[in-house]
Amino acid sequence: MADDYDDEFDKCGILDHSLSRLSLQVLGDHWGYGYDSLLIDLERWAQSPYVRLDSLGTSVQGRTLWEMTITGPDSTTTGIKPVVYVHARTHPNEVQAWWVTREMIKILLSQSSLGRHLRDNLIFHIIPMYNPDGVELEYPRQNANYVDIESNWYSTVLEPEVQVLRNRFVELMNSETPVDVALNMHSSISGTRFFVCHDQAGTSPLYFDFEKRYIGEVRSFYPHGIEPWYYSVTWTAGTPLRYPESWWWLNHHEDVMALTYEDNNSMLASAFDTTAAALLNGSYEYIYGHPVSIDGFKVGTTPREARLIGSYPNPFNRSTKIQIDLQIPGTLEMNVYNLRGERVTSFRQDYAEPGLYQLSWQALDAAGQTLPSGMYICRLLHNSRPKDALKLLLLK
Ligand SMILES: [Zn+2]
């Protein structure tokens, strides 16, 4: 595991103070949106029956770190909904990423079929202003202690804002609604719109594959607006001990798709609503799969073609039964990987009729010995497309 700062490019671009001052003049105080503006918006949004507003803690100067939870009163799905976590305005001058996040909130609170559909099927937690002191002090990237709270998640002494968000992540991951997708909203001087993709050297081949799939799903809703995954690939020298994404990867591996999104940090930035819809739709598609069209938006409303229902027992000792629900005929493929991304077993049936299937997996290596204890990832493919994944815990 490397902590090689020099090899890491600055994902938000080299800070240009004169450009930042210029945008402050053009956009107005606090780059056009201060803590007071947020309080006005929050007061209005909190009227919505779909919003819960919580204080997660306070900043260095005692400002509240607000979290909005948005979800439907009920849902078409049964059981527990997947969770998308979004935090914005870590870097105060990257206000464009906030405009994207604000559009996401507007869609989620709207009466459109997209808004309703997303609320019904997912839970969103959104921190609109993670660094209110920096916004108020008009520091482009730091908090009140003049520390960059984006890249100091592994400092000896944690900043209060970092501690608050880490605590919240731990709390959610230990709850019955853990995070599935975590988006860290920024704006970069250097590019248009892109995700900061983490190389398999700093994650795993499987996770790298998941990242490409996630970015691909989002891009499918805005293909000419968002760069492909290979536009920005970092962590090629290992996992840097710096970022929220480092924390997610080191603690939760393939379980959480944690990425930084970078909008365009310039006066030319635009299409915040299109970008917001792409991020929401893409996150939904990544979690559920299967696009159809409603009101001009691509959203999933039909059952997944193929999904993993679950496994029993799990945790398991030597063997477990994995249930598959297949809605459409086709090739069925199931692979199990260890956390290093190595495939430990595979199953393939060239043609399978729709129906329920149960596969029994004996966790044995080629020599017939039980595999090492630990987490394994079972991955389902239908007609060669990834459809679903499931964690299996082997305890000997
Ligand atoms: Zn940034």
Side-chain angles (χ1 to χ4, degrees):
M1 191 182 299
D3 188 12
D4 202 342
Y5 289 18
D6 296 334
D7 274 5
E8 281 289 310
F9 86 124
D10 190 331
K11 60 185 175 181
C12 301
I14 305 295
L15 179 60
D16 184 331
H17 283 279
S18 59
L19 202 65
S20 186
R21 274 195 304 274
L22 178 67
S23 66
L24 199 53
Q25 282 170 18
V26 175
L27 298 170
D29 291 352
H30 320 300
W31 293 277
Y33 194 97
Y35 190 65
D36 290 347
S37 308
L38 175 66
L39 294 180
I40 292 166
D41 270 343
L42 287 178
E43 197 179 337
R44 196 176 69 250
W45 289 329
Q47 310 292 319
S48 164
Y50 316 120
V51 172
R52 196 186 70 219
L53 204 54
D54 294 300
S55 160
L56 297 185
T58 50
S59 64
V60 173
Q61 294 190 330
R63 292 186 179 87
T64 300
L65 300 175
W66 294 106
E67 182 195 74
M68 300 173 73
T69 296
I70 306 177
T71 193
D74 203 341
S75 74
T76 51
T77 57
T78 50
I80 291 157
K81 300 180 208 177
V83 171
V84 177
Y85 206 102
V86 181
H87 73 282
R89 215 83 195 273
T90 306
H91 287 156
N93 79 335
E94 296 169 12
V95 72
Q96 298 80 8
W98 161 242
W99 297 130
V100 173
T101 310
R102 194 166 181 269
E103 292 299 322
M104 290 167 76
I105 295 168
K106 283 161 68 179
I107 292 170
L108 291 172
L109 298 186
S110 74
Q111 292 304 324
S112 69
S113 53
L114 176 62
R116 194 165 54 242
H117 179 77
L118 291 164
R119 286 196 301 269
D120 280 352
N121 290 286
L122 297 166
I123 298 169
F124 292 84
H125 298 293
I126 300 176
I127 299 189
M129 194 179 286
Y130 180 47
N131 182 5
D133 296 352
V135 169
E136 288 304 292
L137 295 165
E138 297 182 340
Y139 293 165
R141 290 198 184 162
Q142 295 81 7
N143 72 351
N145 290 333
Y146 216 68
V147 173
D148 183 344
I149 52 175
E150 170 62 17
S151 53
N152 282 285
W153 274 56
Y154 280 86
S155 304
T156 319
V157 180
L158 293 177
E159 293 299 305
E161 294 88 353
V162 173
Q163 191 65 64
V164 163
L165 196 49
R166 273 172 69 148
N167 290 349
R168 179 59 174 149
F169 289 163
V170 169
E171 178 185 47
L172 278 172
M173 294 314 286
N174 290 326
S175 76
E176 59 177 12
T177 51
V179 176
D180 295 277
V181 169
L183 291 177
N184 182 4
M185 304 295 288
H186 289 259
S187 316
S188 173
I189 288 163
S190 60
T192 52
R193 299 177 200 85
F194 63 95
F195 288 93
V196 182
C197 187
H198 311 119
D199 190 79
Q200 58 188 3
T203 54
S204 73
L206 181 62
Y207 190 76
F208 197 33
D209 211 13
F210 285 179
E211 289 179 291
K212 292 173 192 173
R213 195 184 134 211
Y214 178 83
I215 296 166
E217 294 284 11
V218 174
R219 281 196 79 232
S220 73
F221 292 92
Y222 193 12
H224 304 297
I226 298 171
E227 302 288 349
W229 66 267
Y230 49 79
Y231 181 83
S232 167
V233 180
T234 57
W235 299 17
T236 51
T239 317
L241 292 177
R242 295 188 81 172
Y243 306 110
E245 289 79 23
S246 315
W247 186 91
W248 280 118
W249 168 252
L250 292 169
N251 289 283
H252 296 286
H253 306 277
E254 284 87 357
D255 290 354
V256 180
M257 177 46 53
L259 289 170
T260 288
Y261 167 75
E262 296 276 359
D263 209 84
N264 178 359
N265 185 214
S266 84
M267 307 297 172
L268 301 172
S270 63
F272 303 125
D273 51 353
T274 311
T275 309
L279 285 165
L280 291 170
N281 276 316
S283 297
Y284 177 90
E285 286 304 321
Y286 176 79
I287 292 168
Y288 283 101
H290 207 77
V292 293
S293 184
I294 299 178
D295 288 2
F297 286 105
K298 267 173 80 182
V299 290
T301 50
T302 53
R304 274 187 278 183
E305 292 158 24
R307 67 190 180 99
L308 292 163
I309 299 171
S311 65
Y312 183 82
N314 190 16
F316 68 105
N317 175 256
R318 192 176 167 85
S319 75
T320 185
K321 293 182 177 67
I322 300 159
Q323 289 90 30
I324 298 167
D325 178 11
L326 184 65
Q327 300 275 337
I328 293 170
T331 305
L332 200 59
E333 200 175 337
M334 194 193 77
N335 298 312
V336 179
Y337 300 84
N338 63 23
L339 287 182
R340 288 189 301 279
E342 297 157 350
R343 189 161 69 183
V344 296
T345 194
S346 65
F347 164 88
R348 185 186 161 91
Q349 188 167 325
D350 285 337
Y351 182 83
E353 292 284 354
L356 294 174
Y357 291 80
Q358 179 165 280
L359 297 175
S360 183
W361 179 45
Q362 299 266 342
L364 302 174
D365 64 16
Q369 299 297 308
T370 306
L371 291 164
S373 291
M375 190 73 83
Y376 291 82
I377 309 286
C378 171
R379 191 175 170 195
L380 182 72
L381 292 94
H382 182 243
N383 293 332
S384 304
R385 281 202 66 197
K387 286 294 166 190
D388 208 353
L390 183 72
K391 289 173 290 181
L392 303 170
L393 184 59
L394 172 59
L395 296 174
K396 289 197 279 191

